[in-house]
Structures are given as structure tokens and as C-alpha cells.
Amino acid sequence: MFRNPKAYQRFLLLVTVVILLFIAASAVGQPPRILPPSPTLAAQVAVPPTLEIRQQAAYLTAQGHDQLNRGDPSAALHTWEQALQLYQHSHYPEGITGSQINRSLALLALGHDRQACTTALTAIRRDRLTEFCRLRDYKNNLTATEQTILKQSLATIASSPLTALGLRVAGESLRKLGEIEVAKYLTEQGLAIAESLQLVPEMAKGYLNLANIESLFYRNNREIAERRDNKLDTDRQKVLNSAQRVLAVYHQATQLSDRHPEILELQGIQDLLRVNQLSFLIEYEQWLNANQAYLIQGQIPQSQRWQAIKADIAIPDDS
């Protein structure tokens, strides 16, 4: 067919070019391969609010609690910040609030008490109260104006598990900062909400923090009584009264644990309450023994009842 070899070569070259062009044209016409979005990518870019994103945020929330329980608050803080971003992308207010309060838990564990206090109160939309999280003079005697601010800010607060938790975290932060008057007020408000909703583990944690706060009031009153040269009866009575408030809170906590033995989460809290209560009883008994000469018979707890209380909360011997 081709007498000229060069003509045949040109023909083969032309056929090759046509085939290559056809393959290229076919490839252009194919739709691109779509890869499924990875969870990591979803956390980094703006995405539409979907159930899948909220489920991923819920997984991160649970992971953060596990990290905190294992003693790694730094990792928990980072994880909860990722969850917060996902909830913000999906426009989920409850998830946003919960993530902010979770962050305050991690900050509290890290010792960033002022930041934890501010974060918790901001999360439950009580920004006006964040003024108490800042450095004050630690006089612990609230002015009439400050009392009004507290009452007005909490008068219309919603009763929800998140609110109860936020108030407790703020109360714990303020207790560690020495602001025990405000800490007591917020803790009692959070505890009242937890009781109204029957949030048993949250109630136990609230009692624990309230007992710690009342113990600080007791120590303050005891120091004042010991500084007085004339040992005023009124000062000693304040010590006795504050000690009774501590014991009353511990009693409430014990009753709560006894009513709910099926709740496993209470076990760790109950152990901590038992240790704290026993420590306080030893401290209080030492003060009573040192002040017997100044106390009337009715002010000293009966020996049998006293020993019964200590025996009831004593840590059992494993041997």
C-alpha cells in the first residue's frame, strides 16, 4: 500500500497521535474521583451543621473527661477546645456552653483559678459576676452593693445541669482564691439547683466543696478566738457554731451517699468526704480539748456521740 517507506512512517505517527488525543479527550470527560472527608479535615475547615459533626464533638467531649480523670488536664483542655470549635461550627448552643464549662474544669485542675472562674461564669451568662474572679482585698465581708449584685444576677438563672456545674466550678475557684464569702453563695446556689433536679453526683460534689468552704470559715473564727488575750466567749461561740455548720454539711453528704449506693460515681467522692471529715474532726477535737476550761458543759459534744461519729466515718482497715 505504501511504496515509500517514509510515507508509511508518517502514517504510523499520525495514527499514534490520533489515538493519544482520543485517550486524553476521554480522560477529560471523566468526573473527578471524590474522596470522603476525613474527621480531621472536618475539624479544621468550616462545615455545615450536621449530626455527624455533633457526634464527633460528643466523642471529643467524652475523651476529654477520660483524660481529666486520668490526671491529664492539659490534654483535656486541648480536646475540649476542639469540641468547642465543632459545636460552634454546628451552631449548637448547649454544646458550646458545655464545652466552655468543661474548659473551666481543666483550667481549675491546672491551677488557673481566676481564668477558670471567669470561664465558668461567662459560660452560664453571668458576666457581671466575673468581677469577683479578679484580685480583691480578701476582706470576705461583702458590701451591700456586692450582695445586691449577687442576688440580682442569680435571681433569674435557669435551673439546668450545666448551670449547677458552672456555679460549682466558679465556687471552687473562688474558694481556692480565698474569696470564701462569694464562693459559699455560688456553691449554695449551684447545690440548690442540683437538689431541685436530683443530680445526685453533682449534689455530692457540691456538698464536698461547701464543707471545704465552711471549714475555712471555722479556721478563720478559730484564729480570731486564739488571738484574743481575754478569750471572749462570743469568739469561742463563733468557733463552735462554724464547726457545727461543717459537721452538718458532712452529715448531709453522708445521708446522700447512703440513699444511693447504686451510683458508682459516688464512691470516689464518698472516700474523699470521709477523709476530709475525719481530718476536720481530729482538728476540732484538739481545739475542744485545748479550750475545755472556757467551755460550759452544753458546748462540749457528748463523748459517746463523738466517738460514734468518728467510728462511722473511719477508713476501714483492709488487712
Side-chain angles (χ1 to χ4, degrees), residues 38-74:
S38 66
T40 304
L41 182 62
Q44 295 175 349
V45 299
V47 291
T50 62
L51 180 61
E52 183 180 354
I53 300 227
R54 292 185 184 179
Q55 289 174 340
Q56 184 182 349
Y59 170 78
L60 289 172
T61 299
Q63 185 181 29
H65 282 290
D66 182 61
Q67 291 167 332
L68 185 66
N69 292 334
R70 287 189 285 106
D72 193 353
S74 296

PDB file of all heavy atoms in Angstrom, residues 38-74:
ATOM      1  N   SER A  38     -12.243  13.480  55.719  1.00  0.00           N
ATOM      2  CA  SER A  38     -11.720  12.856  56.931  1.00  0.00           C
ATOM      3  C   SER A  38     -12.205  13.627  58.147  1.00  0.00           C
ATOM      4  O   SER A  38     -12.468  14.816  58.072  1.00  0.00           O
ATOM      5  CB  SER A  38     -10.189  12.859  56.909  1.00  0.00           C
ATOM      6  OG  SER A  38      -9.709  14.183  56.977  1.00  0.00           O
ATOM      7  N   PRO A  39     -12.336  12.958  59.314  1.00  0.00           N
ATOM      8  CA  PRO A  39     -12.747  13.662  60.524  1.00  0.00           C
ATOM      9  C   PRO A  39     -11.812  14.788  60.897  1.00  0.00           C
ATOM     10  O   PRO A  39     -12.225  15.812  61.394  1.00  0.00           O
ATOM     11  CB  PRO A  39     -12.734  12.542  61.588  1.00  0.00           C
ATOM     12  CG  PRO A  39     -12.887  11.274  60.815  1.00  0.00           C
ATOM     13  CD  PRO A  39     -12.185  11.527  59.505  1.00  0.00           C
ATOM     14  N   THR A  40     -10.512  14.597  60.654  1.00  0.00           N
ATOM     15  CA  THR A  40      -9.549  15.650  60.988  1.00  0.00           C
ATOM     16  C   THR A  40      -9.794  16.892  60.152  1.00  0.00           C
ATOM     17  O   THR A  40      -9.769  18.018  60.640  1.00  0.00           O
ATOM     18  CB  THR A  40      -8.111  15.144  60.761  1.00  0.00           C
ATOM     19  OG1 THR A  40      -7.917  13.961  61.528  1.00  0.00           O
ATOM     20  CG2 THR A  40      -7.103  16.202  61.159  1.00  0.00           C
ATOM     21  N   LEU A  41     -10.077  16.682  58.848  1.00  0.00           N
ATOM     22  CA  LEU A  41     -10.328  17.818  57.978  1.00  0.00           C
ATOM     23  C   LEU A  41     -11.596  18.542  58.389  1.00  0.00           C
ATOM     24  O   LEU A  41     -11.674  19.770  58.353  1.00  0.00           O
ATOM     25  CB  LEU A  41     -10.451  17.342  56.520  1.00  0.00           C
ATOM     26  CG  LEU A  41     -10.665  18.432  55.463  1.00  0.00           C
ATOM     27  CD1 LEU A  41      -9.479  19.385  55.453  1.00  0.00           C
ATOM     28  CD2 LEU A  41     -10.874  17.815  54.088  1.00  0.00           C
ATOM     29  N   ALA A  42     -12.594  17.797  58.827  1.00  0.00           N
ATOM     30  CA  ALA A  42     -13.854  18.414  59.231  1.00  0.00           C
ATOM     31  C   ALA A  42     -13.665  19.329  60.419  1.00  0.00           C
ATOM     32  O   ALA A  42     -14.402  20.296  60.593  1.00  0.00           O
ATOM     33  CB  ALA A  42     -14.879  17.327  59.571  1.00  0.00           C
ATOM     34  N   ALA A  43     -12.692  19.026  61.257  1.00  0.00           N
ATOM     35  CA  ALA A  43     -12.451  19.859  62.427  1.00  0.00           C
ATOM     36  C   ALA A  43     -11.661  21.102  62.094  1.00  0.00           C
ATOM     37  O   ALA A  43     -11.590  22.022  62.890  1.00  0.00           O
ATOM     38  CB  ALA A  43     -11.701  19.042  63.492  1.00  0.00           C
ATOM     39  N   GLN A  44     -11.065  21.155  60.892  1.00  0.00           N
ATOM     40  CA  GLN A  44     -10.178  22.266  60.559  1.00  0.00           C
ATOM     41  C   GLN A  44     -10.833  23.281  59.631  1.00  0.00           C
ATOM     42  O   GLN A  44     -10.362  24.404  59.525  1.00  0.00           O
ATOM     43  CB  GLN A  44      -8.900  21.717  59.901  1.00  0.00           C
ATOM     44  CG  GLN A  44      -8.066  20.845  60.847  1.00  0.00           C
ATOM     45  CD  GLN A  44      -6.885  20.218  60.139  1.00  0.00           C
ATOM     46  OE1 GLN A  44      -6.800  20.267  58.909  1.00  0.00           O
ATOM     47  NE2 GLN A  44      -5.990  19.624  60.899  1.00  0.00           N
ATOM     48  N   VAL A  45     -11.866  22.907  58.915  1.00  0.00           N
ATOM     49  CA  VAL A  45     -12.462  23.807  57.940  1.00  0.00           C
ATOM     50  C   VAL A  45     -13.909  24.067  58.308  1.00  0.00           C
ATOM     51  O   VAL A  45     -14.532  23.326  59.061  1.00  0.00           O
ATOM     52  CB  VAL A  45     -12.386  23.206  56.514  1.00  0.00           C
ATOM     53  CG1 VAL A  45     -10.956  22.988  56.094  1.00  0.00           C
ATOM     54  CG2 VAL A  45     -13.165  21.906  56.440  1.00  0.00           C
ATOM     55  N   ALA A  46     -14.451  25.155  57.779  1.00  0.00           N
ATOM     56  CA  ALA A  46     -15.841  25.496  58.021  1.00  0.00           C
ATOM     57  C   ALA A  46     -16.742  24.470  57.338  1.00  0.00           C
ATOM     58  O   ALA A  46     -16.605  24.198  56.151  1.00  0.00           O
ATOM     59  CB  ALA A  46     -16.132  26.896  57.487  1.00  0.00           C
ATOM     60  N   VAL A  47     -17.646  23.893  58.105  1.00  0.00           N
ATOM     61  CA  VAL A  47     -18.531  22.859  57.571  1.00  0.00           C
ATOM     62  C   VAL A  47     -19.956  23.190  57.964  1.00  0.00           C
ATOM     63  O   VAL A  47     -20.207  23.868  58.953  1.00  0.00           O
ATOM     64  CB  VAL A  47     -18.138  21.468  58.130  1.00  0.00           C
ATOM     65  CG1 VAL A  47     -16.819  21.009  57.588  1.00  0.00           C
ATOM     66  CG2 VAL A  47     -18.121  21.505  59.637  1.00  0.00           C
ATOM     67  N   PRO A  48     -20.922  22.711  57.195  1.00  0.00           N
ATOM     68  CA  PRO A  48     -22.307  22.966  57.556  1.00  0.00           C
ATOM     69  C   PRO A  48     -22.694  22.181  58.797  1.00  0.00           C
ATOM     70  O   PRO A  48     -22.112  21.128  59.088  1.00  0.00           O
ATOM     71  CB  PRO A  48     -23.082  22.468  56.328  1.00  0.00           C
ATOM     72  CG  PRO A  48     -22.175  21.475  55.691  1.00  0.00           C
ATOM     73  CD  PRO A  48     -20.790  21.974  55.942  1.00  0.00           C
ATOM     74  N   PRO A  49     -23.642  22.679  59.594  1.00  0.00           N
ATOM     75  CA  PRO A  49     -24.048  21.975  60.809  1.00  0.00           C
ATOM     76  C   PRO A  49     -24.707  20.651  60.473  1.00  0.00           C
ATOM     77  O   PRO A  49     -25.732  20.599  59.834  1.00  0.00           O
ATOM     78  CB  PRO A  49     -25.037  22.948  61.473  1.00  0.00           C
ATOM     79  CG  PRO A  49     -25.522  23.824  60.364  1.00  0.00           C
ATOM     80  CD  PRO A  49     -24.391  23.934  59.394  1.00  0.00           C
ATOM     81  N   THR A  50     -24.145  19.573  60.890  1.00  0.00           N
ATOM     82  CA  THR A  50     -24.689  18.245  60.639  1.00  0.00           C
ATOM     83  C   THR A  50     -24.634  17.431  61.912  1.00  0.00           C
ATOM     84  O   THR A  50     -23.867  17.732  62.836  1.00  0.00           O
ATOM     85  CB  THR A  50     -23.892  17.507  59.547  1.00  0.00           C
ATOM     86  OG1 THR A  50     -22.551  17.336  60.004  1.00  0.00           O
ATOM     87  CG2 THR A  50     -23.914  18.278  58.237  1.00  0.00           C
ATOM     88  N   LEU A  51     -25.444  16.376  61.938  1.00  0.00           N
ATOM     89  CA  LEU A  51     -25.450  15.488  63.088  1.00  0.00           C
ATOM     90  C   LEU A  51     -24.104  14.814  63.259  1.00  0.00           C
ATOM     91  O   LEU A  51     -23.647  14.584  64.377  1.00  0.00           O
ATOM     92  CB  LEU A  51     -26.560  14.437  62.910  1.00  0.00           C
ATOM     93  CG  LEU A  51     -26.699  13.409  64.037  1.00  0.00           C
ATOM     94  CD1 LEU A  51     -27.016  14.104  65.352  1.00  0.00           C
ATOM     95  CD2 LEU A  51     -27.773  12.390  63.690  1.00  0.00           C
ATOM     96  N   GLU A  52     -23.432  14.519  62.155  1.00  0.00           N
ATOM     97  CA  GLU A  52     -22.137  13.845  62.220  1.00  0.00           C
ATOM     98  C   GLU A  52     -21.116  14.685  62.975  1.00  0.00           C
ATOM     99  O   GLU A  52     -20.319  14.173  63.764  1.00  0.00           O
ATOM    100  CB  GLU A  52     -21.644  13.551  60.804  1.00  0.00           C
ATOM    101  CG  GLU A  52     -20.322  12.791  60.777  1.00  0.00           C
ATOM    102  CD  GLU A  52     -19.857  12.506  59.346  1.00  0.00           C
ATOM    103  OE1 GLU A  52     -20.617  12.803  58.408  1.00  0.00           O
ATOM    104  OE2 GLU A  52     -18.738  11.991  59.195  1.00  0.00           O
ATOM    105  N   ILE A  53     -21.144  15.996  62.754  1.00  0.00           N
ATOM    106  CA  ILE A  53     -20.186  16.887  63.427  1.00  0.00           C
ATOM    107  C   ILE A  53     -20.469  16.919  64.928  1.00  0.00           C
ATOM    108  O   ILE A  53     -19.552  16.920  65.743  1.00  0.00           O
ATOM    109  CB  ILE A  53     -20.280  18.283  62.831  1.00  0.00           C
ATOM    110  CG1 ILE A  53     -19.947  18.189  61.374  1.00  0.00           C
ATOM    111  CG2 ILE A  53     -19.420  19.258  63.598  1.00  0.00           C
ATOM    112  CD1 ILE A  53     -19.032  19.108  60.804  1.00  0.00           C
ATOM    113  N   ARG A  54     -21.733  16.952  65.298  1.00  0.00           N
ATOM    114  CA  ARG A  54     -22.077  16.969  66.722  1.00  0.00           C
ATOM    115  C   ARG A  54     -21.693  15.655  67.391  1.00  0.00           C
ATOM    116  O   ARG A  54     -21.284  15.639  68.553  1.00  0.00           O
ATOM    117  CB  ARG A  54     -23.573  17.239  66.895  1.00  0.00           C
ATOM    118  CG  ARG A  54     -23.975  18.646  66.474  1.00  0.00           C
ATOM    119  CD  ARG A  54     -25.430  18.922  66.759  1.00  0.00           C
ATOM    120  NE  ARG A  54     -25.826  20.236  66.254  1.00  0.00           N
ATOM    121  CZ  ARG A  54     -27.046  20.742  66.341  1.00  0.00           C
ATOM    122  NH1 ARG A  54     -28.020  20.028  66.900  1.00  0.00           N
ATOM    123  NH2 ARG A  54     -27.330  21.934  65.856  1.00  0.00           N
ATOM    124  N   GLN A  55     -21.842  14.567  66.661  1.00  0.00           N
ATOM    125  CA  GLN A  55     -21.423  13.276  67.207  1.00  0.00           C
ATOM    126  C   GLN A  55     -19.920  13.241  67.428  1.00  0.00           C
ATOM    127  O   GLN A  55     -19.432  12.698  68.426  1.00  0.00           O
ATOM    128  CB  GLN A  55     -21.851  12.150  66.261  1.00  0.00           C
ATOM    129  CG  GLN A  55     -23.351  11.902  66.248  1.00  0.00           C
ATOM    130  CD  GLN A  55     -23.765  10.882  65.203  1.00  0.00           C
ATOM    131  OE1 GLN A  55     -23.032  10.625  64.249  1.00  0.00           O
ATOM    132  NE2 GLN A  55     -24.940  10.303  65.378  1.00  0.00           N
ATOM    133  N   GLN A  56     -19.178  13.836  66.513  1.00  0.00           N
ATOM    134  CA  GLN A  56     -17.729  13.900  66.674  1.00  0.00           C
ATOM    135  C   GLN A  56     -17.369  14.767  67.875  1.00  0.00           C
ATOM    136  O   GLN A  56     -16.470  14.434  68.650  1.00  0.00           O
ATOM    137  CB  GLN A  56     -17.090  14.463  65.403  1.00  0.00           C
ATOM    138  CG  GLN A  56     -15.561  14.468  65.460  1.00  0.00           C
ATOM    139  CD  GLN A  56     -14.940  15.067  64.214  1.00  0.00           C
ATOM    140  OE1 GLN A  56     -15.641  15.289  63.225  1.00  0.00           O
ATOM    141  NE2 GLN A  56     -13.663  15.343  64.254  1.00  0.00           N
ATOM    142  N   ALA A  57     -18.094  15.879  68.052  1.00  0.00           N
ATOM    143  CA  ALA A  57     -17.852  16.751  69.201  1.00  0.00           C
ATOM    144  C   ALA A  57     -18.180  16.029  70.507  1.00  0.00           C
ATOM    145  O   ALA A  57     -17.468  16.173  71.506  1.00  0.00           O
ATOM    146  CB  ALA A  57     -18.687  18.023  69.077  1.00  0.00           C
ATOM    147  N   ALA A  58     -19.250  15.239  70.499  1.00  0.00           N
ATOM    148  CA  ALA A  58     -19.616  14.469  71.694  1.00  0.00           C
ATOM    149  C   ALA A  58     -18.539  13.446  72.031  1.00  0.00           C
ATOM    150  O   ALA A  58     -18.229  13.216  73.209  1.00  0.00           O
ATOM    151  CB  ALA A  58     -20.959  13.779  71.480  1.00  0.00           C
ATOM    152  N   TYR A  59     -17.967  12.837  70.998  1.00  0.00           N
ATOM    153  CA  TYR A  59     -16.871  11.885  71.218  1.00  0.00           C
ATOM    154  C   TYR A  59     -15.671  12.592  71.853  1.00  0.00           C
ATOM    155  O   TYR A  59     -15.053  12.086  72.797  1.00  0.00           O
ATOM    156  CB  TYR A  59     -16.462  11.236  69.898  1.00  0.00           C
ATOM    157  CG  TYR A  59     -15.199  10.420  69.996  1.00  0.00           C
ATOM    158  CD1 TYR A  59     -15.212   9.141  70.558  1.00  0.00           C
ATOM    159  CD2 TYR A  59     -13.979  10.940  69.552  1.00  0.00           C
ATOM    160  CE1 TYR A  59     -14.043   8.400  70.666  1.00  0.00           C
ATOM    161  CE2 TYR A  59     -12.814  10.202  69.660  1.00  0.00           C
ATOM    162  CZ  TYR A  59     -12.851   8.929  70.216  1.00  0.00           C
ATOM    163  OH  TYR A  59     -11.695   8.207  70.330  1.00  0.00           O
ATOM    164  N   LEU A  60     -15.335  13.782  71.355  1.00  0.00           N
ATOM    165  CA  LEU A  60     -14.222  14.544  71.917  1.00  0.00           C
ATOM    166  C   LEU A  60     -14.512  14.960  73.353  1.00  0.00           C
ATOM    167  O   LEU A  60     -13.615  14.975  74.205  1.00  0.00           O
ATOM    168  CB  LEU A  60     -13.945  15.774  71.056  1.00  0.00           C
ATOM    169  CG  LEU A  60     -13.325  15.518  69.676  1.00  0.00           C
ATOM    170  CD1 LEU A  60     -13.289  16.803  68.865  1.00  0.00           C
ATOM    171  CD2 LEU A  60     -11.924  14.935  69.814  1.00  0.00           C
ATOM    172  N   THR A  61     -15.771  15.301  73.627  1.00  0.00           N
ATOM    173  CA  THR A  61     -16.155  15.678  74.987  1.00  0.00           C
ATOM    174  C   THR A  61     -15.909  14.527  75.952  1.00  0.00           C
ATOM    175  O   THR A  61     -15.332  14.707  77.035  1.00  0.00           O
ATOM    176  CB  THR A  61     -17.633  16.088  75.029  1.00  0.00           C
ATOM    177  OG1 THR A  61     -17.830  17.228  74.177  1.00  0.00           O
ATOM    178  CG2 THR A  61     -18.055  16.457  76.445  1.00  0.00           C
ATOM    179  N   ALA A  62     -16.355  13.327  75.571  1.00  0.00           N
ATOM    180  CA  ALA A  62     -16.132  12.147  76.416  1.00  0.00           C
ATOM    181  C   ALA A  62     -14.645  11.842  76.559  1.00  0.00           C
ATOM    182  O   ALA A  62     -14.172  11.470  77.643  1.00  0.00           O
ATOM    183  CB  ALA A  62     -16.863  10.945  75.821  1.00  0.00           C
ATOM    184  N   GLN A  63     -13.899  12.019  75.480  1.00  0.00           N
ATOM    185  CA  GLN A  63     -12.450  11.784  75.524  1.00  0.00           C
ATOM    186  C   GLN A  63     -11.772  12.752  76.493  1.00  0.00           C
ATOM    187  O   GLN A  63     -10.861  12.379  77.243  1.00  0.00           O
ATOM    188  CB  GLN A  63     -11.859  11.937  74.125  1.00  0.00           C
ATOM    189  CG  GLN A  63     -10.373  11.593  74.043  1.00  0.00           C
ATOM    190  CD  GLN A  63      -9.821  11.791  72.642  1.00  0.00           C
ATOM    191  OE1 GLN A  63     -10.295  12.627  71.885  1.00  0.00           O
ATOM    192  NE2 GLN A  63      -8.825  11.002  72.286  1.00  0.00           N
ATOM    193  N   GLY A  64     -12.232  13.991  76.503  1.00  0.00           N
ATOM    194  CA  GLY A  64     -11.666  14.984  77.421  1.00  0.00           C
ATOM    195  C   GLY A  64     -11.915  14.618  78.879  1.00  0.00           C
ATOM    196  O   GLY A  64     -11.018  14.763  79.726  1.00  0.00           O
ATOM    197  N   HIS A  65     -13.105  14.121  79.188  1.00  0.00           N
ATOM    198  CA  HIS A  65     -13.392  13.698  80.560  1.00  0.00           C
ATOM    199  C   HIS A  65     -12.498  12.527  80.958  1.00  0.00           C
ATOM    200  O   HIS A  65     -12.020  12.458  82.104  1.00  0.00           O
ATOM    201  CB  HIS A  65     -14.868  13.308  80.698  1.00  0.00           C
ATOM    202  CG  HIS A  65     -15.784  14.484  80.796  1.00  0.00           C
ATOM    203  ND1 HIS A  65     -15.821  15.305  81.905  1.00  0.00           N
ATOM    204  CD2 HIS A  65     -16.696  14.987  79.911  1.00  0.00           C
ATOM    205  CE1 HIS A  65     -16.718  16.260  81.714  1.00  0.00           C
ATOM    206  NE2 HIS A  65     -17.256  16.090  80.518  1.00  0.00           N
ATOM    207  N   ASP A  66     -12.270  11.621  80.029  1.00  0.00           N
ATOM    208  CA  ASP A  66     -11.392  10.487  80.311  1.00  0.00           C
ATOM    209  C   ASP A  66      -9.967  10.971  80.587  1.00  0.00           C
ATOM    210  O   ASP A  66      -9.303  10.485  81.517  1.00  0.00           O
ATOM    211  CB  ASP A  66     -11.403   9.520  79.126  1.00  0.00           C
ATOM    212  CG  ASP A  66     -10.536   8.293  79.375  1.00  0.00           C
ATOM    213  OD1 ASP A  66     -10.819   7.560  80.332  1.00  0.00           O
ATOM    214  OD2 ASP A  66      -9.569   8.088  78.608  1.00  0.00           O
ATOM    215  N   GLN A  67      -9.506  11.947  79.816  1.00  0.00           N
ATOM    216  CA  GLN A  67      -8.164  12.493  80.025  1.00  0.00           C
ATOM    217  C   GLN A  67      -8.057  13.199  81.376  1.00  0.00           C
ATOM    218  O   GLN A  67      -7.048  13.068  82.079  1.00  0.00           O
ATOM    219  CB  GLN A  67      -7.822  13.456  78.878  1.00  0.00           C
ATOM    220  CG  GLN A  67      -7.622  12.753  77.541  1.00  0.00           C
ATOM    221  CD  GLN A  67      -7.593  13.726  76.369  1.00  0.00           C
ATOM    222  OE1 GLN A  67      -8.205  14.793  76.420  1.00  0.00           O
ATOM    223  NE2 GLN A  67      -6.876  13.367  75.317  1.00  0.00           N
ATOM    224  N   LEU A  68      -9.104  13.932  81.733  1.00  0.00           N
ATOM    225  CA  LEU A  68      -9.092  14.629  83.021  1.00  0.00           C
ATOM    226  C   LEU A  68      -9.098  13.634  84.173  1.00  0.00           C
ATOM    227  O   LEU A  68      -8.361  13.808  85.152  1.00  0.00           O
ATOM    228  CB  LEU A  68     -10.304  15.554  83.123  1.00  0.00           C
ATOM    229  CG  LEU A  68     -10.360  16.454  84.377  1.00  0.00           C
ATOM    230  CD1 LEU A  68      -9.222  17.469  84.361  1.00  0.00           C
ATOM    231  CD2 LEU A  68     -11.699  17.176  84.460  1.00  0.00           C
ATOM    232  N   ASN A  69      -9.896  12.585  84.048  1.00  0.00           N
ATOM    233  CA  ASN A  69      -9.960  11.573  85.102  1.00  0.00           C
ATOM    234  C   ASN A  69      -8.646  10.816  85.237  1.00  0.00           C
ATOM    235  O   ASN A  69      -8.337  10.295  86.317  1.00  0.00           O
ATOM    236  CB  ASN A  69     -11.101  10.594  84.816  1.00  0.00           C
ATOM    237  CG  ASN A  69     -12.466  11.243  84.940  1.00  0.00           C
ATOM    238  OD1 ASN A  69     -12.633  12.226  85.661  1.00  0.00           O
ATOM    239  ND2 ASN A  69     -13.456  10.702  84.254  1.00  0.00           N
ATOM    240  N   ARG A  70      -7.879  10.736  84.154  1.00  0.00           N
ATOM    241  CA  ARG A  70      -6.583  10.063  84.206  1.00  0.00           C
ATOM    242  C   ARG A  70      -5.469  10.993  84.658  1.00  0.00           C
ATOM    243  O   ARG A  70      -4.301  10.609  84.677  1.00  0.00           O
ATOM    244  CB  ARG A  70      -6.251   9.459  82.839  1.00  0.00           C
ATOM    245  CG  ARG A  70      -7.071   8.224  82.507  1.00  0.00           C
ATOM    246  CD  ARG A  70      -6.591   7.515  81.251  1.00  0.00           C
ATOM    247  NE  ARG A  70      -6.967   8.211  80.027  1.00  0.00           N
ATOM    248  CZ  ARG A  70      -6.143   8.903  79.258  1.00  0.00           C
ATOM    249  NH1 ARG A  70      -4.876   9.023  79.600  1.00  0.00           N
ATOM    250  NH2 ARG A  70      -6.570   9.490  78.157  1.00  0.00           N
ATOM    251  N   GLY A  71      -5.827  12.234  85.008  1.00  0.00           N
ATOM    252  CA  GLY A  71      -4.833  13.160  85.542  1.00  0.00           C
ATOM    253  C   GLY A  71      -4.065  13.938  84.500  1.00  0.00           C
ATOM    254  O   GLY A  71      -2.915  14.314  84.748  1.00  0.00           O
ATOM    255  N   ASP A  72      -4.677  14.183  83.337  1.00  0.00           N
ATOM    256  CA  ASP A  72      -4.006  14.943  82.278  1.00  0.00           C
ATOM    257  C   ASP A  72      -4.890  16.121  81.855  1.00  0.00           C
ATOM    258  O   ASP A  72      -5.487  16.110  80.778  1.00  0.00           O
ATOM    259  CB  ASP A  72      -3.730  14.029  81.081  1.00  0.00           C
ATOM    260  CG  ASP A  72      -2.748  14.659  80.080  1.00  0.00           C
ATOM    261  OD1 ASP A  72      -2.397  15.844  80.271  1.00  0.00           O
ATOM    262  OD2 ASP A  72      -2.351  13.974  79.125  1.00  0.00           O
ATOM    263  N   PRO A  73      -5.005  17.156  82.707  1.00  0.00           N
ATOM    264  CA  PRO A  73      -5.878  18.291  82.390  1.00  0.00           C
ATOM    265  C   PRO A  73      -5.435  19.081  81.165  1.00  0.00           C
ATOM    266  O   PRO A  73      -6.271  19.674  80.489  1.00  0.00           O
ATOM    267  CB  PRO A  73      -5.820  19.148  83.661  1.00  0.00           C
ATOM    268  CG  PRO A  73      -4.547  18.759  84.338  1.00  0.00           C
ATOM    269  CD  PRO A  73      -4.336  17.315  84.016  1.00  0.00           C
ATOM    270  N   SER A  74      -4.135  19.096  80.870  1.00  0.00           N
ATOM    271  CA  SER A  74      -3.665  19.822  79.679  1.00  0.00           C
ATOM    272  C   SER A  74      -4.233  19.205  78.413  1.00  0.00           C
ATOM    273  O   SER A  74      -4.717  19.907  77.515  1.00  0.00           O
ATOM    274  CB  SER A  74      -2.139  19.818  79.626  1.00  0.00           C
ATOM    275  OG  SER A  74      -1.582  20.509  80.714  1.00  0.00           O
TER     276      SER A  74
END
